Amino acid sequence: MNFDPTTFIFEVINFLALVWLLKRILYQPVLKVVNERQERIQKGMAQADLAKKEALQLKVEYENRLSQWQQERNALRLALDDELKVERERQHKILREQLDDDRKRAQVLEEKTMQDKMHEYELKALSLGGEFAARLLTRLASPQLEQQLCALLLEDLESPDSTLSETLKHVINDGQGPIYIETAMPLSSDQRSVLRDRLQKLVASDRKYEFTQDKQLIAGIEIDVGTLVLHANLSHELAFFCEANNG
């Protein structure tokens, strides 16, 4: 067998090319896959160790937290017992105060009821007294008494120290309507003339006078000039007395 250098060289070249191809195409990818797998395994083991450490840490934290919760629960239970005790005492205090207020209100209401009853009895007594006085004054009423009451009113109107005449003069002169004179008993012509003359002294112009009779006045006179009414009779004096005593 003859040795051919050229063939040998080609064979060497082919072998080197094959080795280069194998290394380039097969060996490096396989080596890369193996390295990546090893890295994943190491990374997984590191993650597993980390997870184990975290699990142990979580267990410790859970046990610590469980113990802390137990302590907090006991503390809250004690605090709740204290709050319930304070609340019961507060509610008892409020209930006692409400009972005291109810008793005071009941006492005030009872006193008010008694006062109302007493006031009612007083009003009845005053009403009976007024009725009695009205009957008595009705029996005592006379033309002479009425003349005296009219004279007293005229004296007040003519008194220089009285403001009644000035007030009546101002009211009369501001109006234009008639002046109404009402008495409990009928007046004679002379009595009407006297009243008309006395009032005319306060009037700047002529006014019409109308005389009427009202037995409910008992005795006395009432002069109505529109916005002002003068009373000098037993009926209104008696009513004023009853109202003043009624407060």
Side-chain angles (χ1 to χ4, degrees):
M1 182 177 178
N2 295 325
F3 177 74
D4 187 357
T6 303
T7 301
F8 177 75
I9 291 171
F10 279 118
E11 289 294 334
V12 171
I13 293 172
N14 289 334
F15 178 75
L16 293 175
L18 179 61
V19 171
W20 183 82
L21 290 174
L22 289 175
K23 181 180 179 182
R24 190 67 178 175
I25 297 174
L26 181 61
Y27 179 72
Q28 286 185 353
V30 171
L31 184 61
K32 182 179 180 181
V33 170
V34 171
N35 291 333
E36 290 177 353
R37 184 171 182 181
Q38 287 179 351
E39 290 178 357
R40 286 196 299 270
I41 292 173
Q42 291 177 356
K43 186 176 180 180
M45 291 179 66
Q47 291 178 350
D49 292 338
L50 181 61
K52 183 177 180 180
K53 291 180 180 179
E54 291 178 352
L56 292 175
Q57 185 177 0
L58 289 175
K59 181 180 179 181
V60 173
E61 291 178 356
Y62 172 75
E63 292 176 350
N64 293 334
R65 187 57 181 166
L66 185 63
S67 177
Q68 185 179 359
W69 283 346
Q70 185 69 25
Q71 294 176 0
E72 291 177 355
R73 187 183 67 177
N74 295 334
L76 290 174
R77 180 179 297 174
L78 294 175
L80 180 61
D81 292 339
D82 293 338
E83 290 179 0
L84 290 175
K85 182 179 179 180
V86 172
E87 182 64 20
R88 282 195 298 268
E89 293 177 354
R90 190 180 70 85
Q91 292 295 334
H92 289 164
K93 182 180 179 181
I94 293 175
L95 181 59
R96 288 193 299 270
E97 291 177 352
Q98 289 178 350
L99 291 175
D100 292 339
D101 291 340
D102 291 340
R103 282 194 293 268
K104 292 179 181 178
R105 281 195 294 268
Q107 184 178 359
V108 171
L109 180 61
E110 184 178 359
E111 293 177 356
K112 181 66 168 57
T113 303
M114 291 296 296
Q115 292 177 358
D116 292 341
K117 287 291 184 182
M118 292 297 296
H119 185 63
E120 182 180 355
Y121 295 150
E122 291 175 358
L123 292 178
K124 288 182 179 180
L126 290 173
S127 177
L128 292 174
E131 293 176 2
F132 174 77
R135 288 195 298 269
L136 179 62
L137 292 174
T138 301
R139 295 175 63 183
L140 295 176
S142 63
Q144 292 79 11
L145 178 59
E146 183 164 292
Q147 290 178 7
Q148 292 178 357
L149 292 173
C150 293
L152 290 174
L153 177 60
L154 293 176
E155 288 180 5
D156 289 340
L157 291 176
E158 294 177 350
S159 175
D161 298 331
S162 175
T163 58
L164 180 59
S165 59
E166 293 297 329
T167 303
L168 183 60
K169 183 188 298 184
H170 178 73
V171 173
I172 290 177
N173 292 325
D174 283 347
Q176 299 295 330
I179 297 175
Y180 299 94
I181 301 175
E182 192 171 53
T183 57
M185 300 177 186
L187 298 176
S188 64
S189 298
D190 294 338
Q191 291 173 331
R192 292 185 180 185
S193 297
V194 172
L195 283 172
R196 189 183 297 109
D197 293 341
R198 297 286 181 86
L199 291 174
Q200 190 62 36
K201 293 179 180 180
L202 303 174
V203 184
S205 60
D206 291 337
R207 297 286 293 275
K208 183 179 179 181
Y209 296 88
E210 295 186 6
F211 292 88
T212 58
Q213 181 184 358
D214 185 2
K215 294 182 179 181
Q216 293 183 355
L217 297 179
I218 302 178
I221 187 173
E222 178 181 289
I223 301 176
D224 185 353
V225 295
T227 59
L228 180 65
V229 180
L230 301 179
H231 300 291
N233 56 79
L234 297 182
S235 176
H236 287 91
E237 292 298 327
L238 182 60
F240 176 77
F241 171 77
C242 293
E243 292 177 358
N245 283 278
N246 290 338

